[in-house]
Each structure stands twice: as structure tokens, then as C-alpha cells.
Amino acid sequence: MKKSNIPVHPPKWAERFLSWYCKPELLEDLQGDLNEYFERNLKTKGARSARWIYIIDVIKFLRLYTLRKPEFINALIHWIMLGSYIKTSSRSILRNKLFSSINIAGLAISMSVGLLLIGLLSDLFSYDAFHQNSDRIYRVTSHYSYLDQVNSATNASSSIRLGKAIEESIPGVDKVAVLRRGLYGDVKVPDAKAVTMEGLWANEASLRVFTFPLLHGNSTTALKEPFSVLLTEKSAKKLFGDNDATGKTVLIKDKEHTVTGVLKDVPLFSHIRFDMLVSLSTREITQKDNKHELEWDNMWNAYTYLLVPENTDLALLQSNLNELALREDKTVENTHIKLGLQPLKSIALGEELNNEIGPVMNSSVVWMIGILCIVVLLSACFNYTNLSIARSMKRAREIGVRKVSGALRSHVAFQFITEAIIISLAALAIAFMLFLLLRPYFISVYPGMQDMVSLELTPQMMVCFVALAAFVGLAAGVFPALFFSRINAIQVLKSTPALKLFGNLSMRRMLIVMQYTISIAFIAATTISYRQYEHMLSFDLGFDTENILNISLQENKPDQLIKALNEMPEVKQISKSGLVTSVGYYWSTTVKYTNPADSADIFYNQVDENYLPLHRHKFVAGKNFTPKLNTEGEKQVIVNEKFLKRFNITNNDPLKAIDEYIFIEGERTRIVGVLKDFHYGRVESKIMEVMFTYRPEQAEMLNVKIQSNDIAATMNKIQMEWKKLDDVHPLKAHFYEESIERTYDEYKAKIKIVGVLAFLAIFIASIGLLGMVVFTTETRLKELSIRKVMGASDGSLVVLLGKNFILLLSIAAVIALPATYFYYEKYVLNQITFHAPINISDLVIGVMVVMALALIMIGIQAFKAARSNPVDVLKNE
Amino acid sequence: MKGTNLGEFEELVLLTIAALLNDAYSVAICDELEKTSGRAVKLGVVHSVLNRLEEKGLVKSKLGDATATRGGKRKRFYSVTSAGKASLLKAKEVRDQLWNRIPEFALKAI
């Protein structure tokens, strides 16, 4: 140490290692010996080898007799002292009411969000667990590609043919369940009123794969014969009352089916839902003439589930599926269908798939809520950490006394962790009330949610709640615990000025900056999303949607209703269409132009001659449909500009394209008009090729243009007319704008969630800041009074107190705004083709609001301090 | 318990402690042993022997004053207890008895 100019020390970590493992009574002596050797070696062998020898010696001294015995006594002391900790903690909680309430409020609010998330996750994870073999069931997903058009989305559905093929050619699969959707319609008992029901066609094995227990009937044969139907308890009750339904006959879409049994109602936590199951063999008879039914590429409406034995080699099964797909691809042209396996339990909360059979929750949504929730929780933890450390000098004496009376670092740390956990458990009690209060709102934030989750309390959930509280307490308490346990007893008790303890200022500043960065980012995200949402609702779709009421005909003949509606003075115009576009529904069909090898799936709508004028579609060339031509057997179609481009019809010249012929499902059809491009799909997607075919006789919707000052009265009248037409089904009528709004409900839900979280984050950050400001003004009160005596003005004192905080907030804004901006530009908005540009002023407004809140708080506190009479403050020392 | 029987190295260490009088602490013992026996003596070995001797009650120790040379750490000084003295004497006695039985010529012949 003395030889060289720079003192050389033994390696720090080796020293620390030695003092960690060595018995305290041997330690000093050993350390001394090693130091002596080290210095000797330093002189004779040089620094490097001296350090090296030191390390080796430290390791060599690791022997049984030098090892520290585990300190059971310490753990025991923790338990004995627990009572004392709880007592002192609750005293200090009660003594500092403001700080405790800030902490408890912040933690409670953020924790209530956490509780909601736990509830949501617990519901989603318990999905499909009621199936006895739930961990052995896999769903086969399929991914469709035609020629080189790669479709990005994977489908939950597969073909009916697939199930048969797997049964025949893949060994090691116990059972294959095939379900087919599309069974929707009236179910009737002869001579009674019809009930609308939704169901699935299911093959025999379905009841073996899934656990849908039968109350009556034989599960092995129930779905064997064609025209067999299994009703759920609820639907059986609707149709037959309390009578036994088994063996009776019901009419499903006017076809006789025999009830072979009654199923227990489907649990809420099932992603497969139905009112009835009809044997799949029924379709072999009803769809006998449909050549598409069993085709390999008809993979949009059926679902295949496999029950595999335990410990199945999934890789082998997958490769078998791949082989099967390659074999079957040959039966259709230019198509490749890639198959995949999805475990049953990851369906309800999983990746987003097309053509889902029932309600599912996209895992990314849950991730999003989860991350935001953690961020808000962290923010509340920061408050706790910040305030406890800031007020450290008030507690420092207590720690000093504890340490003098023999408390070890670990004891002090344990005490503060205990205190944090007590506070967080108190917060849990409030959070739980908030949870009960918020639950109904949370469930209704998104219409799909109501269907999926109940957030009913379960024992596991309660355990998770307490675990969350304990964890939050730990997270909040760990920094204060480390900080306090490091306090030097002698220093504190000698009453050195508190300022020395006041270190860690940079960490606390950092925490404030982080809190505000989060808050500002949240509020910016909310405004950006809200702008997008507004933009989508008011988006110019390329046609008129105002005051148009879309009435679903529900398989009734339209003529009577049209006649009645036409008699109403409020009704200006009526048209018929197949579906309502721009709200997320798509119909497509195969179209070819001159090249027979080039076919494409084109979105379409089938309408009458009033549809285009009523919706004010703009013609680029040609004219509207002529009803007369249709009766003469000529097919007419009106396409959009994109359509011409797709098939390169007459070099995209709309004028020349008129009277060209295309083939829709093989039928020769004349182009009579070309429309300006408009949005058929949702606003997020690109403008696509679209065509209108003239088929007024296949209308499913009436589009009624209404001009009325009293919408409610008009709706009533329409309701009456509907009753006359159909007294079984309730009227399904929605204004176009309403439907569009509903289409973007998920955005609304997201905005609501992010908005609420933004509000919470700001609230938590604000009360945290309030605590800090109160504390700072308290500790600097004397300084302020002296300044005032020396002639400082109130204003200058406010500035003095506030400027540091304002600086911190500005740093937060400078970090948060660009980060949010780029995040949205790069990752969110480029997925939405027609998005509104980000408005800088929106972002600034958000910051201003947060800043203004903070300023008001700082201002009030600082002003109060500045206005206090210096005499009162200074007279007692 | 091995009893009060001394091993060869233990005996050496115990003798060194007695010889060093008031300056018997681990490093000094180590150095002295190295000097007198001429063989390399490891600190770790000496340490464990000291520890064992103390357990057997043959030596006792106390901490001295801190010095700068040892990074401010105190030395632990050892001294031989009466039990230690007794066992040293006993060991010597055993040897002496054996030595006395060896005729002088027999040694010369070796």
C-alpha cells in the first residue's frame, strides 16, 4: 500500500466474499493475516500476483471451521419483532395522515385496475377447462394461399373434408370432431310459435372429444342418424316447456328433425356455443347436390378438433398434417392450404385468427391492458418510494435507536418492507371495493366482453388479489428498506444536519420524471386515438350514409313492407341490398375476365336499381341498372375503378369498359357502369375491387332513406308495420351511421381503457407530486421565512419552490411526446390505411393540461408557504 | 475427540507458540516455522491447526491492538495453556523414554 504511488488494494469482491462466508469471530484475524500477506507479496512479487494470491487464499480459507452458521436466530427475531414493526408502522401511518392517504389512495386506485386485470385473466384462463380432456384437444387451423397471393391471416376454420382425411390417414389420433357453423334459423314445434336458434352441425365423435354432457338420451348414438338434433336444456325449455323433449319432432328451417337428447347448457367459459347440435350426417343428404360441400378448399365454415393420446409427438403429427395437405392440394387448382395445430386452451386467449367459431379475446389486447396496468401500479409504487425516502429524516432517529439496541440491517429492511405491505394491504381493501364498483363498467366497455367474461369472484382470484397486494408492497417498499437499513446509527444520533441523509435526490427526481413521462404519454395516446376514432366515424366512404335506415328482412318477402313504408311521408326512398357494406361484413365470389386462368375473389353486393342513387354512389362511366334488361335474361354488373385495374379491362379506360363482359361464377355478365372507388371494407384496409350485381329478388336488407323530425315516432310506425309482416322475429333496424359506429367499437373500448388509465396515471402522479411539494415547502419553511425577512417577494418565493418541479415536468414532456409520436407513427397508424395525421396541437394540449394541474398544486402550496408569517415560523427554535 | 494426543505438526506449532512468547500470532508462527523447519508452511494449514488446538484447549487466544500494517485489523495472539504445556511435556517424555532405550551403537550403525 505504501510502496507504490497509487495504493493497491486486495480485490474488493474477494474481501466481501470473505466477510460473507466467514464466521464473525474468526473474520478480523483472518482479514488481518491476509492483508499482511498481501502487502508482503506486493513488495516481493508485484501487484498482480499479490492480488491473485489473495484471491486464492480467500478461496482456500473456505473450510468447514471458518463457515458462518446459518442464522436461525435472525429469522426468529424477525418474527418476534413483527408485532413491534406493525405497531410502529401503524403509528407512523396514523401520524402522517396526508402522506399515508396519498400512498393508500394511489395504491388502491392502481391496484383496482390490477384486480380487474386479474379477474379478466382468471376468466380467460379458465376457458374450456370444463372439457375432461382439455389438454389433449387440438384444433386444426388452416392458412389459404392461391397461386402466389399470400393471405396473411390464419383461419380457425378448416374443410369438412379435412376431418375425414385425418381419420383415414393419420394414425395416433384418437377422435376427430367436426363442427360446421351456419345453422341459424327458426325452430318450430308443429302448431307453435317459432323460436330463432343458432346451432352447429356436429359429427358423432364431437360428444366424445368435448365434454357436453347429456341430460337425456344416449351420447354414443345421439348424433349418428341424419336429422337428429340435440337441444340444450334452455332451448328445450323454450320449445317444449317442462315436457320431455326426447323423441319429439321439431322443424328446423321447415325440415323435420328428431330430438335425440337434451344437453346441459353450454358453460359461459366455452368458446364453442350453440343452442342445438344437429348431426353432421344430415348435411350428407341436404347438401348432396352441392359439389363444393366436400371440397378441399371449402375451408371457411367447418372446424376440426383432434383428441390425441397423452404424450403425443406434436412435431410428428404436424408433419403428418403437412403431408396430408400436400396430397389434398392436388385435388384443387393452384391452391395450397397450410395446416397448423392450436391447443384448445389457447383458443380463448390467443392469437387473432379469421373465422373464429365463437368469441375469443386477442391476446395482444390483454397484453396491452396488462402493460398499462403495470405501468400505473409502478407509478403508485414510485409515490410510496419517493415520499418515504423524502421523509427519511423523520424516521432516521427511530432507526438509529433500533440499530443501537442491536437491530441488524436485515431487521430494519424487514421492518420497512412490513410497513409497505401493511399499507398495500390497506390499499387492497379499498381497491377491492373499487373493483366491485368498477366491474360492471369494465365488462360493458366493449360489447364482446359481456359475452365472454363474468369476473365472478373465485377463491383462486382472491389468492391472486392478496398476492398482488403483497407483491406491490414489496415493490414499493424495497427501495425505502434498502435506504433506511443503510442509515448509520452514530451519524443520526449525533444529530448531523438532515441534509446529509437527503442524498438520493437524483433518484427521486428520476422517479418523478418517469411518472410524468408515463402520464403525458398516456394522455397523448388517448388524444391521438380519439382523433383516429373520430376520423373513422366521419370518414368519407365515397357514398352517402346519412339518414339511411337498414332493415334486415329476416327472410321475409319485402313487397308488403315496401308498400307500407312508401305510404309513410317520412320515407323518401327505398332500395334493396344483400348486405350493408363498410361495417366489416364481406361477401365475395369468383370472377374471371377473358383469361380463363386468371380468376379472383371479388367482393360484391347484390342490389336493386334504387340502391346506387339512394346511396349517392358516383358514376365514372355508364349508368345504373335497367330492370327491364334483367327480365330479358341479361346479367348486369356495375364495378369500381379498382376492378378495372385488377383485370386490366380495356386499359383501365372506364368509358370503353362499358359493355365488356366478365364471368361471375361462370355466368357471362355485362358491365353497365363504372363507379368511383369507395370503401367496401373497414377504414383500416385498402380500397378493394368491388362490384354490384343486379339481383333485387335476393335482397336481405331494405335501405330506407328517412327524413323526419321525430325519429322515435317514425321508428314506432315502422315497428308496427314490421309486426304485421312478421310477429315472430323482432325488428332489426339500424341507422347506417349507428352501424358504422358499432364497427369501430373496439377502438372506442380501447380509448376508454387508455383514457381511464391516463386519468389514473395523472391522478397518481399528481398526488405524488403534491406530497413532494408539501414536504419540500415544510422542510424549507424556515429558509423561506428568512428570505422573506430579507425582502423576497411572494412571487419570487413561489418561483423558487416551483422551478425545480417545472423543470422535471418539462423533461418528462420532452421525453414523452416524441416517444408517443414515433410509436404511433411507426407501429400503430401505419396499420390503418386511411388514418388521420397526428395533430401536434392535440399533443401539446394534453401536456398543457397535466402541466396546469401540477402548476396549480405547486402554486397553492408554495403560495401558502410564502404567505405564512415569518414571525410565527422563526420565533420558536 | 482425539483426546490430548498431539500430531507431529500440532506439536511443532505448539512449540513455536511457546518459543515466540508474547509475539505468537498466525503470521509470525508461520514465519518462525518456515525458518526453523526449513519447509514451506502454508498459512491456511497453520490457521486450521491453531483453530484445532484452541478447540482442544491447548492454546488460548486474545485479540491485540490494531496496527496499520494489517489494514487496521487486530492480531490474534496465542499462548499455551497449562493443558498445552502438559501435553507438550508428555510428548517430550514419551520421546525421551524411547531415546533412552536406544543403545548408542545402534544409532551409529544406521
Side-chain angles (χ1 to χ4, degrees):
Chain A
M1 222 191 274
K2 269 136 211 149
K3 261 290 185 180
S4 55
N5 297 334
I6 319 148
V8 183
H9 293 286
K12 268 262 147 47
W13 65 266
E15 283 186 324
R16 221 172 286 153
F17 178 59
L18 179 69
S19 52
W20 175 74
Y21 76 70
C22 189
K23 268 185 196 163
E25 61 265 30
L26 291 182
L27 179 64
E28 183 166 6
D29 172 35
L30 244 179
Q31 278 175 330
D33 288 355
L34 287 178
N35 282 344
E36 206 172 329
Y37 265 79
F38 179 73
E39 268 167 47
R40 202 181 284 178
N41 288 331
L42 205 59
K43 280 176 203 155
T44 55
K45 293 177 185 156
R48 262 192 73 164
S49 40
R51 290 166 72 91
W52 192 232
I53 291 170
Y54 188 95
I55 295 171
I56 291 176
D57 276 346
V58 165
I59 294 167
K60 269 164 74 181
F61 268 111
L62 185 65
R63 294 166 188 220
L64 261 184
Y65 77 93
T66 57
L67 269 191
R68 192 192 279 265
K69 301 275 174 297
E71 290 161 16
F72 295 109
I73 193 74
N74 244 339
L76 199 66
I77 288 174
H78 282 315
W79 277 112
I80 296 169
M81 292 299 286
L82 196 61
S84 152
Y85 297 156
I86 292 176
K87 199 179 279 172
T88 43
S89 298
S90 24
R91 276 181 195 155
S92 104
I93 290 169
L94 290 177
R95 196 166 50 233
N96 305 291
K97 296 211 172 56
L98 175 70
F99 294 102
S100 314
S101 39
I102 286 176
N103 280 332
I104 293 182
L107 286 174
I109 290 170
S110 58
M111 238 189 267
S112 63
V113 184
L115 299 192
L116 287 175
L117 181 72
I118 288 177
L120 179 69
L121 282 179
S122 128
D123 275 9
L124 289 177
F125 280 130
S126 51
Y127 252 75
D128 295 315
F130 65 92
H131 294 297
Q132 267 162 21
N133 301 318
S134 58
D135 46 352
R136 285 165 50 204
I137 303 175
Y138 292 83
R139 178 164 75 179
V140 184
T141 58
S142 40
H143 188 270
Y144 178 87
S145 47
Y146 182 82
L147 281 174
D148 50 354
Q149 300 168 20
V150 180
N151 220 322
S152 61
T154 303
N155 292 284
S157 55
S158 45
S159 55
I160 294 182
R161 185 193 183 101
L162 173 71
K164 296 215 164 108
I166 290 175
E167 258 172 0
E168 281 160 14
S169 67
I170 297 187
V173 174
D174 281 353
K175 289 271 176 309
V176 183
V178 180
L179 305 174
R180 196 204 187 272
R181 66 173 173 184
L183 180 61
Y184 175 83
D186 290 350
V187 181
K188 255 171 86 167
V189 181
D191 309 322
K193 217 168 146 186
V195 181
T196 311
M197 284 189 194
E198 208 167 348
L200 295 164
W201 284 281
N203 69 345
E204 255 185 283
S206 303
L207 292 179
R208 229 68 67 69
V209 174
F210 302 116
T211 309
F212 292 123
L214 260 69
L215 296 174
H216 305 285
N218 182 348
S219 67
T220 45
T221 55
L223 289 174
K224 192 170 181 197
E225 298 302 320
F227 299 105
S228 309
V229 59
L230 282 173
L231 297 169
T232 62
E233 220 181 334
K234 217 195 271 164
S235 25
K237 192 149 196 173
K238 270 189 206 158
L239 288 170
F240 296 99
D242 292 329
N243 301 329
D244 185 12
T246 321
K248 302 250 173 66
T249 304
V250 291
L251 294 166
I252 301 174
K253 288 187 160 178
D254 301 323
K255 285 208 177 64
E256 281 192 8
H257 289 68
T258 313
V259 180
T260 50
V262 177
L263 290 162
K264 239 169 108 174
D265 280 335
V266 182
L268 174 66
F269 295 151
S270 168
H271 82 282
I272 304 170
R273 292 172 183 192
F274 48 82
D275 301 319
M276 57 185 173
L277 290 177
V278 174
S279 52
L280 191 68
S281 50
T282 314
R283 287 184 69 87
E284 282 167 20
I285 296 169
T286 56
Q287 303 292 319
K288 210 181 337 195
D289 301 328
N290 180 356
K291 60 181 166 55
H292 294 305
E293 171 77 0
L294 289 177
E295 263 173 16
W296 173 241
D297 58 353
N298 182 10
M299 44 156 269
W300 314 104
N301 289 306
Y303 301 87
T304 312
Y305 293 83
L306 310 179
L307 178 68
V308 298
E310 261 166 78
N311 307 324
T312 296
D313 181 1
L314 288 179
L316 181 69
L317 183 57
Q318 178 66 54
S319 73
N320 279 339
L321 284 175
N322 293 347
E323 264 171 47
L324 182 146
L326 287 179
R327 254 196 332 267
E328 293 288 341
D329 280 345
K330 286 174 195 138
T331 63
V332 283
E333 277 170 33
N334 300 332
T335 303
H336 173 55
I337 293 172
K338 204 172 145 241
L339 303 173
L341 285 168
Q342 184 185 27
L344 179 73
K345 295 211 70 173
S346 71
I347 291 176
L349 177 62
E351 55 176 325
E352 195 171 3
L353 298 180
N354 275 355
N355 274 338
E356 271 294 353
I357 188 169
V360 296
M361 181 84 65
N362 194 339
S363 56
S364 69
V365 174
V366 177
W367 271 110
M368 184 193 81
I369 302 179
I371 288 172
L372 296 185
C373 173
I374 287 172
V375 166
V376 173
L377 268 173
L378 269 185
S379 184
C381 288
F382 288 171
N383 270 355
Y384 183 88
T385 305
N386 244 346
L387 292 177
S388 324
I389 295 182
R391 295 177 42 255
S392 58
M393 50 192 216
K394 298 219 164 149
R395 296 293 291 277
R397 288 267 158 84
E398 180 197 331
I399 312 301
V401 173
R402 272 183 195 280
K403 283 208 162 173
V404 167
S405 2
L408 297 178
R409 274 189 67 170
S410 65
H411 294 141
V412 177
F414 187 74
Q415 181 196 349
F416 279 86
I417 299 261
T418 315
E419 191 170 323
I421 290 179
I422 291 174
I423 288 208
S424 115
L425 285 175
L428 176 67
I430 301 174
F432 186 68
M433 314 263 209
L434 283 174
F435 167 76
L436 295 181
L437 205 73
L438 290 175
R439 187 167 59 181
Y441 298 102
F442 181 63
I443 292 182
S444 61
V445 72
Y446 180 56
M449 198 101 109
Q450 264 159 324
D451 260 12
M452 280 197 78
V453 295
S454 60
L455 303 187
E456 288 299 336
L457 291 172
T458 60
Q460 293 103 298
M461 246 159 97
M462 301 298 248
V463 172
C464 286
F465 286 180
V466 176
L468 175 78
F471 183 75
V472 167
L474 209 64
V478 66
F479 275 114
L482 285 179
F483 176 81
F484 281 112
S485 63
R486 215 179 282 156
I487 281 179
N488 186 334
I490 298 172
Q491 241 181 52
V492 199
L493 294 179
K494 266 201 302 200
S495 99
T496 23
L499 283 173
K500 257 195 184 158
L501 289 168
F502 214 58
N504 276 35
L505 211 68
S506 57
M507 185 183 106
R508 279 172 27 225
R509 282 191 178 143
M510 210 173 72
L511 292 184
I512 292 185
V513 169
M514 272 167 80
Q515 278 184 322
Y516 270 89
T517 308
I518 292 163
S519 310
I520 294 173
F522 269 168
I523 202 168
T526 314
T527 42
I528 294 175
S529 320
Y530 186 71
R531 284 275 174 247
Q532 291 306 320
Y533 177 66
E534 256 187 345
H535 173 74
M536 281 174 183
L537 291 195
S538 62
F539 192 77
D540 180 14
L541 296 168
F543 59 94
D544 192 19
T545 56
E546 216 172 320
N547 293 329
I548 295 174
L549 183 71
N550 291 312
I551 303 173
S552 170
L553 283 171
Q554 308 187 48
E555 300 184 1
N556 288 299
K557 288 266 169 276
D559 300 335
Q560 182 195 337
L561 188 64
I562 291 178
K563 198 165 157 264
L565 288 174
N566 267 330
E567 281 164 11
M568 290 186 201
E570 298 95 330
V571 173
K572 294 292 150 210
Q573 210 178 357
I574 299 174
S575 70
K576 297 180 222 166
S577 67
L579 83 166
V580 178
T581 59
S582 311
V583 295
Y585 294 107
Y586 303 86
W587 281 1
S588 70
T589 184
T590 346
V591 172
K592 288 180 189 181
Y593 182 47
T594 44
N595 178 6
D598 180 23
S599 81
D601 275 327
I602 301 292
F603 294 117
Y604 75 104
N605 192 2
Q606 40 199 34
V607 299
D608 70 352
E609 67 277 11
N610 296 323
Y611 181 89
L612 296 173
L614 187 142
H615 290 86
R616 299 215 181 108
H617 276 283
K618 295 179 193 76
F619 279 89
V620 177
K623 53 182 176 22
N624 200 1
F625 297 113
T626 320
K628 204 177 71 199
L629 286 175
N630 211 47
T631 49
E632 287 162 9
E634 194 189 33
K635 303 279 179 208
Q636 312 164 56
V637 65
I638 294 178
V639 300
N640 69 350
E641 293 167 302
K642 264 271 155 65
F643 185 96
L644 297 186
K645 230 172 261 165
R646 166 65 182 81
F647 288 101
N648 195 17
I649 298 175
T650 61
N651 286 327
N652 301 334
D653 185 347
L655 290 172
K656 283 189 196 150
I658 304 297
D659 293 340
E660 283 292 310
Y661 285 92
I662 59 170
F663 296 88
I664 303 172
E665 282 180 0
E667 255 185 309
R668 194 159 172 265
T669 312
R670 185 163 68 94
I671 298 176
V672 295
V674 178
L675 292 175
K676 209 165 172 291
D677 282 336
F678 66 98
H679 284 265
Y680 178 96
R682 295 167 56 124
V683 177
E684 297 100 316
S685 44
K686 289 197 205 90
I687 288 188
M688 293 163 289
E689 302 83 44
V690 183
M691 60 186 188
F692 286 101
T693 54
Y694 185 72
R695 275 179 208 150
E697 69 287 352
Q698 289 183 16
E700 296 187 14
M701 305 292 295
L702 285 188
N703 324 105
V704 186
K705 180 102 180 169
I706 288 176
Q707 203 169 39
S708 159
N709 295 325
D710 187 358
I711 296 288
T714 315
M715 286 304 287
N716 259 338
K717 274 199 230 169
I718 295 173
Q719 187 90 39
M720 304 260 281
E721 289 305 327
W722 177 263
K723 265 264 152 50
K724 279 186 216 162
L725 176 73
D726 182 347
D727 62 346
V728 175
H729 305 103
L731 172 71
K732 275 194 203 159
H734 299 286
F735 278 98
Y736 213 136
E737 318 254 85
E738 242 176 80
S739 310
I740 291 175
E741 203 180 315
R742 193 152 340 126
T743 311
Y744 302 107
D745 261 352
E746 56 184 86
Y747 287 94
K748 202 159 117 193
K750 270 186 202 167
I751 291 167
K752 272 191 200 160
I753 290 174
V754 177
V756 167
L757 287 174
F759 173 74
L760 293 186
I762 291 169
F763 179 76
I764 290 167
S766 299
I767 58 174
L769 188 68
L770 175 72
M772 289 304 293
V773 174
V774 168
F775 170 74
T776 323
T777 43
E778 247 174 37
T779 45
R780 292 178 73 178
L781 206 53
K782 278 211 175 112
E783 179 202 333
L784 295 179
S785 300
I786 293 170
R787 280 180 191 275
K788 213 173 164 188
V789 171
M790 306 299 257
S793 66
D794 287 359
S796 70
L797 291 181
V798 172
V799 171
L800 178 76
L801 280 171
K803 70 175 184 218
N804 263 335
F805 290 112
I806 300 302
L807 179 72
L808 295 184
L809 297 201
S810 315
I811 294 174
V814 167
I815 299 172
L817 286 188
T820 326
Y821 182 87
F822 284 114
Y823 174 75
Y824 266 83
E825 272 295 80
K826 270 225 136 95
Y827 298 104
V828 182
L829 293 184
N830 61 5
Q831 290 178 19
I832 303 170
T833 316
F834 296 92
H835 61 79
I838 296 177
N839 205 335
I840 302 291
S841 64
D842 283 350
L843 299 184
V844 175
I845 288 170
V847 177
M848 294 306 238
V849 169
V850 174
M851 289 285 226
L853 258 175
L855 274 179
I856 291 171
M857 261 171 8
I858 295 171
I860 290 175
Q861 286 303 320
F863 200 64
K864 221 163 82 183
R867 287 294 298 277
S868 63
N869 190 344
V871 176
D872 294 336
V873 180
L874 292 176
K875 76 180 172 200
N876 42 3
E877 177 57 38
Chain B
M1 274 277 154
K2 286 181 198 159
T4 48
N5 283 336
L6 285 174
E8 188 252 0
F9 194 68
E10 282 176 348
E11 191 183 343
L12 273 179
V13 171
L14 202 53
L15 279 171
T16 317
I17 294 172
L20 281 172
L21 299 173
N22 289 330
D23 200 28
Y25 77 102
S26 47
V27 178
I29 296 167
C30 217
D31 291 347
E32 186 65 29
L33 271 173
E34 229 164 77
K35 211 162 70 190
T36 47
S37 71
R39 61 185 186 191
V41 179
K42 290 271 179 261
L43 181 66
V45 181
V46 172
H47 244 277
S48 68
V49 168
L50 285 172
N51 193 59
R52 213 178 312 142
L53 288 175
E54 196 163 11
E55 255 175 40
K56 287 179 181 175
L58 301 181
V59 297
K60 61 182 183 207
S61 69
K62 65 171 198 291
L63 285 170
D65 293 326
T67 56
T69 40
R70 288 162 62 88
K73 305 292 175 194
R74 289 174 291 178
K75 292 172 184 171
R76 184 178 290 277
F77 287 105
Y78 291 89
S79 55
V80 181
T81 62
S82 49
K85 201 171 151 192
S87 64
L88 267 180
L89 286 173
K90 187 165 183 242
K92 187 173 184 300
E93 201 180 311
V94 170
R95 275 161 219 232
D96 283 347
Q97 270 178 19
L98 287 172
W99 272 112
N100 290 337
R101 279 166 60 183
I102 303 170
E104 245 170 283
F105 66 88
L107 265 175
K108 273 180 189 158
I110 294 169

